[in-house]
């Protein structure tokens, strides 16, 4: 057996502790699979005295994570501090500059600084790996870099945020409204005290931008993701969707739009209507799933646990095993200099069927106003569902499904209706994905 | 850019031709991802004059595939001749012995001779890769070796044969019987003229034995797979299953049974009842899907095209790209000498709920005979469905679902009933998998 691979862990929250547990529990198996033992030499966290349920006395302790990067007995630094900047980024930069490989689960840091870090890693000849940053325990980055490597990828999309999927599928099961289910999710630990990053789609956008860079060989462009969260989705929307044969899912969708004048990258996170017989419609609770479509492999689906200490630790240690095996390829599948700066594709010209939900006063003429706006904007209506009875505020839910058409027309119809007294709240638009 | 990786293709059927098309179509992309070009230098097939829709004039031609292994301008031989022995095996042995890496889609050859070939590849320091041998275009071998590497795997199971899945899901959709759907599948090219390997579960057993060896670090044991095909499944079974909330799927199931006296490997291919809300229940047509359960990652699902020239070529070329990148790890994730020769676990002690379908004469006393046998064998009955009307032969379908219990008791009940004049045909037993 060759020399052990020596690693240092920065951050000992649930994921960091999970990594310690995994490496200890599966040590013998990992050594056989990695062809050398993996040995933790040093750890760092804020509070040394906290009981984490694992014995840390064998490992050197550093109060300052930056010390880990300076140690001679460390080959790989595992960053689990979190946050897109601050100490996590400082540690990542120092470790890579000092010739240590870096493994991280930090999607925010990679979405914002991944290209800089990958470039630095290429210069110092170390590995930068972040399997756990996208879809938790699902080895989807490995799947794209290795398994799907022979394909030009046309489209990659999926359920990238377990909190939102838990909330939407719970709303589906219980008929409860967003706020109630969110409160329950917070109580159960599926949602953070400040849920903004999750429910507004920012976390999914981080992951989508990373996935797109790898899938398309694109310069990572987090700012180019159009992002809408799920906080506007009502129980009534889920009910209408169900009646129409759909479920509501927050999807991240990334597609390379081919164009002789220059390919463009379309990236969007938002709630979609998904047909009940689509594989993503059956993904419930905090599960994640990613679909990749390639020009030879066809459609590939990866599904599994999107979060949690065990699954995330599984992905972190898979990266460490890769490094132990000497697999140090470029972080985004090709060198940063070869990643292409595709222009941003906007959604306007995209052809979709859309679901549009209005909340309207219960009086004559409302439907005429709305349908006139749709007509003037060139939106063709496929079906209309209006529930019979107004609620206690005298308001009625009106749902319209459009025929396929440019999304810009729907946007224009919404602009025409903006401020109209036929609407008592901002309408919600959700695109419908095909089979 | 470094030196090209030079490959030779033996066998130019649909998959071989697909590999040529893929390497030509995606050449630039592959060179960027593999960090060097992949170049076909020589090809071999039976008939040089046949029009395959691709231009082969640039490549050296060999009438005898064995010549490919002797060429100086070949780094990797891609075997797509087929057959577990004969020319395919001869080529594989010669290529590896001569210091060429070998890539193959040949599950039969790997199931029978994989350990010998892997051992030979270790000795000459070349790669042996066979991603396309299991689940076609789904990178499940890569997923197990890389993505799930940190986990002790408890169980791996899935839909491994697209022909059977096409037949079963068509029977489900149309209500037609096995023979009719098989004939239709043959007409459409989803089933071979001689469908035995597929419909009797042998093809799935080849794949399962390969998957189990990798997942559990087990000595590959194709002979240890208990195999039952789908030819006994009737339209009536699918209908009864549906009424009970299940679909019928041919599953390969491999599980490491932990035991202080020595772990044992359970391997079985047979039709199962799958709950309609299980991810595998939604896998229709020729699609394949594999579930792996690990001690940290939880349940992981891979789903995609299980056959076809494009998906299979995608998997073959993914292996070639790995070799171009210098990734030459052991074929079964660890060296052959470290694979463990687990004893064979039989099904008798396994605790399952079972579906048992009887075809019985329409006369008094039949149900009493059957239920007495079940009682005497210690089988506890959960539900009984008897369809009202006998068919034109005066026969009735009787379906029983048992409570959880040892499968040996069900086998014993079948033994008691063997030859009974209360049965007009051999009964069919299908286990029910849990959520």
């Amino acid at each position: 057996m060759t020399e052990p691979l020596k690693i240092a862990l920065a951050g000992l929250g649930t994921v960091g502790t999970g990594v310690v547990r995994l490496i200890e529990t599966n040590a013998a198996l990992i050594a056989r699979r990695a062809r050398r033992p993996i040995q933790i030499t040093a750890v760092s966290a804020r509070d040394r005295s906290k009981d984490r349920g694992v014995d840390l006395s064998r490992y050197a302790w550093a109060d300052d994570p930056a010390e880990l990067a300076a140690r001679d007995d460390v080959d790989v630094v595992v960053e689990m501090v979190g946050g897109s900047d601050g100490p996590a980024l400082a540690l990542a930069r120092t470790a890579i500059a000092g010739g240590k490989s870096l493994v991280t689960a930090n999607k925010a840091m990679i979405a914002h600084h991944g290209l800089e870090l990958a470039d630095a890693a290429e210069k110092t000849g170390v590995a930068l790996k972040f399997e756990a940053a996208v879809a938790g325990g699902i080895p989807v980055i490995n799947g794209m870099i290795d398994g799907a490597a022979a394909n030009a990828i046309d489209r990659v999309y999926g359920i990238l945020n377990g909190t939102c999927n838990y909330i939407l599928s719970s709303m589906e099961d219980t008929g409860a409204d967003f706020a109630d289910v969110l409160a329950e999710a917070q109580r159960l630990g599926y949602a953070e005290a400040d849920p903004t990053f999750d429910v507004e789609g920012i976390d999914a956008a981080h992951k989508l931008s990373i996935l797109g860079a790898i899938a398309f060989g694109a310069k990572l462009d987090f700012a180019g993701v159009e992002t809408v969260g799920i906080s506007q989705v009502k129980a009534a929307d889920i009910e209408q969707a169900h009646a129409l044969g759909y479920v509501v899912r927050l999807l991240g969708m990334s597609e390379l739009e081919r164009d002789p004048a220059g390919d463009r990258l379309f990236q969007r996170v938002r709630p979609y209507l998904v047909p009940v017989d689509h594989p993503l419609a059956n993904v419930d609770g905090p599960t994640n799933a990613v679909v990749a479509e390639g020009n030879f492999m066809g459609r590939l689906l990866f599904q599994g646990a999107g979060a949690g200490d065990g699954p995330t630790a599984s992905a972190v240690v898979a990266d460490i095993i890769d490094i132990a095996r000497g697999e140090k390829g470029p972080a985004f599948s090709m060198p940063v200099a070869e990643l292409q700066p595709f222009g941003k594709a906007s959604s306007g010209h995209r052809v979709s069927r859309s679901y549009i939900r209005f909340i309207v006063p219960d009086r004559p003429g409302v439907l005429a106003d709305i349908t006139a706006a749709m007509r003037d904007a060139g939106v063709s209506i496929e079906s209309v569902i209006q529930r019979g009875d107004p609620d206690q505020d005298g308001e009625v839910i009106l749902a319209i499904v459009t025929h396929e058409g440019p999304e810009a027309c729907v946007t224009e119809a919404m602009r025409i209706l903006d401020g109209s007294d036929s609407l008592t709240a901002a309408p919600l638009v959700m695109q419908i994905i095909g089979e």
Side-chain angles (χ1 to χ4, degrees), chain A residues 125-335:
Chain A
V126 300
L128 166 67
K129 289 183 176 276
F130 39 80
E131 179 64 80
V134 180
I138 312 175
V140 63
I141 290 182
N142 177 58
M144 299 306 300
I145 291 183
D146 275 9
N151 292 267
I153 301 295
D154 301 312
R155 194 157 75 133
V156 57
Y157 62 102
I159 294 170
L160 295 170
N161 183 274
T163 304
C164 288
N165 208 60
Y166 172 83
I167 291 173
L168 290 171
S169 55
S170 295
M171 288 172 71
E172 204 172 293
D173 292 344
T174 61
D177 242 317
F178 174 77
D180 298 330
V181 175
L182 172 60
E184 174 74 2
Q186 286 170 318
R187 205 181 57 76
L188 292 169
Y190 288 134
E192 308 275 348
D194 177 358
T196 312
F197 259 49
D198 290 316
V199 302
E200 297 308 341
I202 301 157
D203 174 78
H206 286 149
K207 296 167 179 168
L208 184 71
S209 65
I210 298 169
L211 205 50
I214 292 168
F216 305 116
K219 278 247 182 309
L220 194 152
D221 178 22
F222 168 65
V225 185
E226 293 182 17
T227 305
V228 177
I230 63 165
S231 55
Q232 301 310 311
V233 177
K234 293 182 177 295
D237 293 313
I238 289 177
E239 201 182 304
Q240 303 293 7
H242 182 75
L244 294 160
Y246 300 94
V247 298
V248 178
R249 292 286 179 268
L250 183 80
L251 301 186
M253 167 82 67
S254 189
E255 188 169 342
L256 196 61
E257 297 185 356
R258 317 232 179 230
D259 188 323
D263 295 347
R264 287 183 307 276
L265 185 61
F266 175 72
Q267 301 182 92
R268 171 157 73 185
V269 170
R270 61 175 305 157
Y272 278 82
L273 261 59
V274 178
V276 290
D277 55 357
H278 190 286
L280 294 181
N282 298 298
V283 178
D284 295 323
T287 302
N288 279 198
V290 176
V291 175
E293 294 171 358
N295 65 341
F296 279 77
M297 70 186 182
R299 182 191 282 182
L300 200 60
L301 169 79
F302 300 85
Q303 183 175 325
D309 54 341
T312 309
S314 165
V316 167
V317 179
D319 279 346
I320 298 171
I321 291 174
D322 266 355
I323 295 171
R325 289 171 175 164
E327 295 173 9
K328 293 189 181 180
F332 293 96
S333 175
M334 37 187 92

Side-chain angles (χ1 to χ4, degrees), chain A residues 35-76:
Chain A
R35 276 103 68 189
R36 55 199 283 206
I38 286 170
Q39 187 187 319
I40 301 171
T41 51
V43 297
S44 169
R46 250 188 303 224
D47 179 0
R48 184 168 190 171
S49 63
K50 185 172 167 188
D51 180 10
R52 296 175 171 87
V54 290
D55 176 14
L56 299 170
S57 63
R58 277 162 294 178
Y59 314 132
W61 180 274
D63 286 317
D64 177 0
E67 289 173 34
L68 300 175
R71 293 181 68 99
D72 289 338
D73 62 353
V74 171
D75 304 313
V76 181

